[in-house]
Amino acid sequence: MELTNEYGYDKYFGQVNEDGQYHGIGRHCMVTGQIYEGQFYDGHPHGYGRIIEFHHTYLGKWEMGKKLDESKVDWTSSADDGGALSTKFD
C-alpha cells in the first residue's frame, strides 16, 4: 500500500482492516526515513513495536500512536554525525 504526501510516498507492508487502515502486524516505511515495525490498531502504532529514526530507536509499547515509556529510547552518536549528540563540553 502506498500513501502519498507532499514529499513523496510512504510504503506500508502488512495487515489492514476493512476500512483500509493499518491494523494487525506491519511495517510502515515513511518518506522521511523513519520506519515503524510492529502492531497497529485502526491506523495507529498500538501494542508492541519499534521505530527507527536517524539518531534513535524506540522498542516498547505503544498506545494509539504514543510511546508509553520514553526511557526505552536508545540514542546513538558517532564521529560520523560530527558528534551532534555529544554531551562532552570543552
Side-chain angles (χ1 to χ4, degrees):
M1 170 185 290
E2 289 184 346
L3 299 174
T4 187
N5 60 34
E6 61 190 274
Y7 305 107
Y9 295 95
D10 285 358
K11 297 221 184 238
Y12 175 74
F13 307 92
Q15 300 170 319
V16 295
N17 62 17
E18 58 275 355
D19 295 324
Q21 297 173 313
Y22 310 161
H23 194 88
I25 303 294
R27 173 186 277 187
H28 182 195
C29 301
M30 294 160 252
V31 72
T32 57
Q34 301 162 306
I35 299 170
Y36 173 80
E37 306 174 304
Q39 298 172 316
F40 290 87
Y41 182 82
D42 286 345
H44 301 281
H46 186 84
Y48 192 77
R50 79 173 169 173
I51 190 160
I52 303 165
E53 299 189 65
F54 182 65
H55 279 297
H56 69 277
T57 60
Y58 170 77
L59 176 64
K61 292 193 175 191
W62 295 74
E63 185 171 322
M64 296 307 284
K66 296 190 171 133
K67 300 174 190 131
L68 291 182
D69 187 359
E70 290 285 343
S71 69
K72 301 215 182 226
V73 174
D74 284 330
W75 292 92
T76 59
S77 182
S78 69
D80 293 340
D81 65 11
L85 296 176
S86 175
T87 56
K88 183 178 178 182
F89 297 98
D90 294 325

